[in-house]
Amino acid sequence: MLPTRVDVLIVGAGPTGLALAIVLQQAGVNYLVIDKLDCGQNLSRAVVIHAHTLEIMEALGVSNELVRQGLTISKIAIRDRDQALLRVRLDKLPSAYRYLLMIPQDVTETILGERLTALGGSVHRSVTATAIEQNDGGASARLATRDGERMVTARYVIGGDGMHSLVRQSSGMAFEGSTYEESFVLADVKMQWLLDPDENSLFLSPAGPVLVVPLPGGSFRVVAMLADPPEKPTKQDIQRLLDTRGPTGGNNVVQEILWSSRFRIHHRVVDSYRSGAVLLMGDAAHVHSPAGGQGMNTGLVDAVVLGQLLVKVLRDNRPDATLDTYNTLRRPAALEVLALAGRLTRMAVLQGPLLRRLRNSLLRLVDHLPPAKRHLALDLSGLSRKTFSKID
Ligand SMILES: Cc1cc2nc3c(=O)[nH]c(=O)nc-3n(C[C@H](O)[C@H](O)[C@H](O)COP(=O)(O)OP(=O)(O)OC[C@H]3O[C@@H](n4cnc5c(N)ncnc54)[C@H](O)[C@@H]3O)c2cc1C
């Protein structure tokens, strides 16, 4: 049975919606979290959690379980086929989490969902928000349920409803940016892989980039940029990408496709994370290239920061203006992430022999500059953006 009035309505129970629900549940704030799907998505999608995200998620009581179920990787390498250009180690990061945690997104969502249940919370599923309207006391939401239409009023409505956010569109919040020419193919595969199993490897080649990262349970994620990717990449498609872009010699053999997909990348951020009683987080507020694996990580930090600010307003009686801090903190973080993902993408897709030679020389130079490598490690791990998650 849905309530008709709540303090916080969270639209979307992806990773950000679940994380925000946990923060509010722990603090005893009145909320409702809905999702149009009748069960969580069973797709691996984002596969890395970075050090800063794990630090932030300690407040939710899930970091230990994530680490237990994930695979830790301490090295990143950029290679031009067989030649190493730049190697970065993460085992000296100034964090308790000195690694990349490889863990499929469906496992992350299951861990978050189980934590919410253990705390006594739950997601109201098969409930779709179809319209949001702001009024004097907050906002009202029209919801489509199995039993017909329902109206819920809330002091705050939070859009954690992904890239095509209804909450964002209903509130007329601008989502400026562009769509890249390139598309990505991605596949989770079983394969014989002869390179270091403790390394995420990005291969640059004249044919384009391909990324290979180990996953828990002995499988691998392969990601490549392609102009016109097949809808469901096959074993042969992924083998061809590895043979033409990865290490030479043909010794790395794809044995089985566990999941494959393709997607187009956009590069967008909302003008403001807040419009009156409506606030956005995660992909509803920012989308960008998956280079660097920052998307879900940035969204999870958004959710925890927003949750902590909502607790201050709704439980600790701080003024409503306290919530403005959310935009002040998190929009600059998204802009930095968009810039980082954009730089990595442009570096990976450079065309033409001269530019490629120049890029490779620059990467080899950086490989001999420890401060530059440390800077890159801090950017990737999110630790360089710590100030954007600090609340007074
Ligand atoms: C194929 C693919 C591969 C990806 N790979 C990577 C990667 O390698 N690295 C990376 O960092 N990121 C990756 N991403 C992006 C990553 O999945 C997102 O950043 C992350 O899921 C964002 O979380 P979110 O909670 O903001 O939104 P979402 O995960 O999109 O969740 C939104 C939720 O809202 C629900 N919803 C939507 N509209 C409504 C409505 N009107 N009413 C009720 N519920 C609604 C949806 O059902 C969904 O459950 C990938 C995404 C895709 C699709």
Side-chain angles (χ1 to χ4, degrees):
M1 185 69 183
L2 288 175
T4 53
R5 176 150 194 92
V6 290
D7 281 342
V8 182
L9 170 65
I10 307 170
V11 180
T16 62
L18 291 168
L20 176 58
I22 292 172
V23 178
L24 301 184
Q25 179 77 26
Q26 282 176 324
V29 169
N30 173 253
Y31 73 94
L32 170 69
V33 55
I34 60 164
D35 200 290
K36 64 182 179 187
L37 299 176
D38 49 12
C39 63
Q41 289 194 54
N42 191 20
L43 300 172
S44 74
R45 294 168 294 153
V47 289
V48 60
I49 301 189
H50 292 290
H52 179 49
T53 317
L54 287 167
E55 290 178 350
I56 288 279
M57 304 250 282
E58 281 176 3
L60 277 55
V62 292
S63 297
N64 286 345
E65 188 57 20
L66 288 165
V67 172
R68 197 181 70 76
Q69 294 199 36
L71 171 74
T72 61
I73 296 287
S74 67
K75 290 176 242 167
I76 299 171
I78 301 180
R79 301 169 178 278
D80 190 339
R81 310 243 29 198
D82 299 316
Q83 245 182 349
L85 302 172
L86 171 62
R87 279 166 291 206
V88 178
R89 297 189 69 103
L90 302 162
D91 50 4
K92 297 274 188 314
L93 282 176
S95 171
Y97 307 98
R98 291 183 287 276
Y99 42 73
L100 298 165
L101 185 72
M102 308 311 298
I103 182 164
Q105 185 171 332
D106 53 335
V107 180
T108 299
E109 290 183 21
T110 300
I111 291 171
L112 290 168
E114 286 173 358
R115 175 69 179 149
L116 182 62
T117 308
L119 291 164
S122 62
V123 176
H124 288 256
R125 294 203 164 273
S126 307
V127 179
T128 307
T130 56
I132 309 289
E133 215 168 281
Q134 300 215 34
N135 49 44
D136 282 349
S140 60
R142 189 183 298 277
L143 307 180
T145 77
R146 285 199 192 104
D147 306 320
E149 197 173 275
R150 297 283 181 272
M151 292 300 291
V152 173
T153 55
R155 281 181 68 183
Y156 299 105
V157 173
I158 313 302
D161 50 343
M163 189 170 81
H164 304 290
S165 172
L166 174 280
V167 176
R168 186 187 65 235
Q169 289 169 28
S170 292
S171 310
M173 294 156 98
F175 200 34
E176 300 294 346
S178 55
T179 303
Y180 277 74
E181 290 288 303
E182 297 85 358
S183 291
F184 279 86
V185 289
L186 70 170
D188 291 352
V189 302
K190 289 277 180 201
M191 68 173 166
Q192 170 180 287
W193 183 245
L194 301 178
L195 265 73
D196 186 349
D198 185 31
E199 177 185 295
N200 282 2
S201 315
L202 172 64
F203 295 89
L204 307 173
S205 77
V210 63
L211 175 77
V212 180
V213 303
L215 296 178
S219 55
F220 293 83
R221 164 69 60 91
V222 180
V223 187
M225 230 178 224
L226 268 186
D228 191 16
E231 194 177 336
K232 266 259 162 272
T234 61
K235 197 165 90 169
Q236 290 72 22
D237 292 327
I238 302 301
Q239 186 67 59
R240 199 173 315 117
L241 283 167
L242 288 177
D243 290 345
T244 53
R245 302 182 178 196
T248 59
N251 297 322
N252 297 295
V253 182
V254 181
Q255 290 147 348
E256 187 189 349
I257 298 271
L258 304 171
W259 174 66
S260 68
S261 186
R262 66 172 178 184
F263 66 99
R264 241 184 132 67
I265 51 172
H266 307 262
H267 197 262
R268 296 176 193 279
V269 65
V270 272
D271 276 1
S272 170
Y273 277 38
R274 177 175 193 189
S275 166
V278 169
L279 297 106
L280 303 175
M281 60 184 181
D283 280 17
H286 47 79
V287 287
H288 51 80
S289 151
Q294 302 294 326
M296 184 185 72
N297 285 270
T298 311
L300 285 168
V301 181
D302 291 345
V304 177
V305 170
L306 176 56
Q308 289 168 345
L309 291 167
L310 283 166
V311 170
K312 282 184 188 293
V313 173
L314 292 166
R315 190 194 65 186
D316 305 339
N317 300 316
R318 295 270 284 269
D320 166 86
T322 305
L323 282 174
D324 294 340
T325 312
Y326 175 59
N327 181 61
T328 315
L329 285 172
R330 298 309 300 163
R331 192 164 181 277
L335 292 177
E336 282 204 3
V337 166
L338 256 73
L340 173 67
R343 274 198 305 277
L344 291 171
T345 308
R346 284 193 299 278
M347 181 274 295
V349 298
L350 264 188
Q351 305 267 336
L354 186 63
L355 283 177
R356 288 174 36 77
R357 267 207 303 278
L358 263 172
R359 175 203 53 205
N360 290 4
S361 304
L362 190 66
L363 289 170
R364 278 195 200 94
L365 178 71
V366 172
D367 196 41
H368 290 97
L369 296 174
K373 292 210 282 188
R374 183 179 154 78
H375 196 279
L376 181 59
L378 290 174
D379 274 355
L380 289 171
S381 65
L383 295 167
S384 64
R385 293 183 293 282
K386 265 186 165 181
T387 45
F388 302 127
S389 55
K390 278 215 175 77
I391 301 172
D392 299 330

